[in-house]
Amino acid sequence: MADSMESLEHKLAYFHDATGIQDLALSTQILEAHGWNLDAAISAMVDMRPRDSAAIGPASAPHPDEQQAAAAAPGTSGRTASSSHYAVSAQHEDELLLASEINGHVATNHIYSTLLWKLVTLPFSIIRGSYNIMYSAMGMGMSIAGGAISYSLGALRWSEGRVADGRASLLPLPVGAAEASSFVRNFEREYGDYHPHFQTTTFMDALRRATAEFKLLFVYLHSPEHVDSPAFCERTLCAEAVVQFVNENFVSWGADVRSSEGFQMSNSLRASTFPFCAVVMSSSNQRIALLQQVLEGLKSASELLAILQRVVEEQGSILVAARADQEERTLNRRLREEQDVAYRAALQADQEREQRRQEEAERAAREAAEAETKRKEEEAAAAEAANIAAEREAALERRRQEKAISLGLEPEKGPNVTQVVIRFPNGERRERRFHCSATVQSVYDYVDSLGSFDVVKYSLVSNFPRTVYDQEKLSLPLKDAGLHPHASLFVQVEES
């Protein structure tokens, strides 16, 4: 219970710092309305700000406190005055928590009054929506009740009219992820697809990925209206050396300051001018540590690369220690798992040995029975195969005899007698005389009667001129087929 209360207090402190709402009771009510989901609650508060607010981007009017700070230190840059006002050091030792208070120039009186009115009316909206759901379910049936539930879910920002191909999306893309994807598309349309690999997720998801990969998070906040943004993106951020170094050593995340999350992060990181880059990492208690405001304003690729290299060198030991600690925990867990596996394996081996002893006798008896059955089956199969072969041989012999009988006696030599020489593939040579009126089929019958090609297909072919005596020529007399008074044919076996 104490841990739960401590977790709620941390969330309340983070929400208080991120939104600038001073009323503790009001902050608690907002978080309770969003189920203590920090991302949803903060996104809801940011989305309520007027879109035409002049507080976004480098052209924003400075807060009076900033003007006083600048007047107290004439000749200093905007970055120096801002760093003095917020006590932010560029050195890595000075860890800045992003959960520090957002100053009054972020939330104007107009925004605060609009926000307060929406928060006051929020309970009434929820009660009215719930009443409509119950009334529709009782009076109109389940179909209308389903529509009322969809309306209630829309009121809680789970879904807001997202329809694709006529179907409502029950799990819409988070607002931060959609904005990140839009930023990458717009960036590539303007400056090409060679750039640091920006994550198309929310800031917190990108930070979690950096933590999981034991890397720092490189943050770029883009202000399209700033005069230095095009030159910085083309010459510095998209420079080959910068892109390679950032992709190798960082997880990158970018945002347009005109978007909800981009605006939130520009205020949380206290960007005083643009272009703006920072390096952050996760800290304890759901907080975020700002390690380095890499740059504010236009810088060359070599300057940016030098700053990033210094940050990696200075913070590398922390990441190495974190990785080593994670590997040690993983190793210890693996050792425990291996020990458990070994114990279970030994126990299972004992049980299996006992089971094998019991199964051995059964298996021996079963194998003997199977061997006897197999022997009988093989004997029966061999006998059946022998019978089939004998029947087949008898059928072939009958066929050969029928062919020989159909040929009749071999005629004597004479002017109407054709002498045919037949050569076989194995070199064998046979001769026979046929009457010139006999058909080509008679020559095939003679070859069949010899029994050499009972199981294969073949054709009779003459070489000079080359002629294949196929099915179309079987009925031709030998004289008409050009085989009289003598012919030399060879058997051409056809491949199956």
Side-chain angles (χ1 to χ4, degrees), residues 115 136 169 241 296 399:
L115 172 63
S136 299
S169 175
E296 287 182 303
R399 180 172 176 270

Side-chain angles (χ1 to χ4, degrees), residues 88-166:
V88 177
S89 174
Q91 300 177 356
H92 76 286
E93 297 91 352
D94 298 332
E95 187 178 84
L96 176 65
L97 295 179
L98 296 186
S100 56
E101 296 183 357
I102 305 300
N103 290 275
H105 67 282
V106 177
T108 62
N109 292 334
H110 176 69
I111 298 175
Y112 185 82
S113 60
T114 303
L115 172 63
L116 183 59
W117 170 251
K118 291 190 175 184
L119 292 175
V120 170
T121 58
L122 177 62
F124 298 98
S125 300
I126 296 175
I127 294 173
R128 183 174 63 254
S130 302
Y131 173 79
N132 290 336
I133 293 174
M134 292 185 293
Y135 178 83
S136 299
M138 295 172 60
M140 303 299 293
M142 291 301 296
S143 61
I144 301 179
I149 293 174
S150 297
Y151 169 80
S152 298
L153 293 178
L156 293 176
R157 301 187 57 80
W158 284 16
S159 175
E160 191 174 1
R162 294 177 178 270
V163 178
D165 298 331

Side-chain angles (χ1 to χ4, degrees), residues 316-336:
S317 59
I318 299 177
L319 299 177
V320 170
R323 183 184 295 273
D325 182 62
Q326 178 63 30
E327 291 177 351
E328 182 179 0
R329 289 197 299 270
T330 302
L331 178 60
N332 292 335
R333 183 175 64 253
R334 186 181 299 115
L335 289 175
R336 289 193 299 271

Side-chain angles (χ1 to χ4, degrees), residues 64-101:
D65 292 342
E66 288 183 284
Q67 295 177 348
Q68 293 176 6
T76 60
S77 64
R79 166 181 165 82
T80 304
S82 176
S83 299
S84 174
H85 176 69
Y86 297 113
V88 177
S89 174
Q91 300 177 356
H92 76 286
E93 297 91 352
D94 298 332
E95 187 178 84
L96 176 65
L97 295 179
L98 296 186
S100 56
E101 296 183 357

Side-chain angles (χ1 to χ4, degrees), residues 166-243:
R167 296 175 298 177
S169 175
L170 297 179
L171 295 174
L173 191 66
V175 175
E179 292 176 348
S181 299
S182 177
F183 163 73
V184 173
R185 288 195 303 270
N186 294 336
F187 189 95
E188 291 181 346
R189 183 166 55 249
E190 188 72 22
Y191 305 108
D193 56 1
Y194 187 75
H195 55 75
H197 182 60
F198 294 114
Q199 301 297 306
T200 55
T201 61
T202 64
F203 172 81
M204 292 305 299
D205 287 341
L207 186 62
R208 294 186 189 101
R209 177 169 183 175
T211 302
E213 296 181 4
F214 299 99
K215 292 184 178 181
L216 303 175
L217 181 64
F218 174 80
V219 178
Y220 170 61
L221 299 180
H222 183 68
S223 176
E225 290 85 1
H226 198 282
V227 66
D228 291 335
S229 293
F232 174 77
C233 293
E234 293 174 356
R235 304 172 190 171
T236 302
L237 189 60
C238 294
E240 182 177 359
V242 173
V243 172

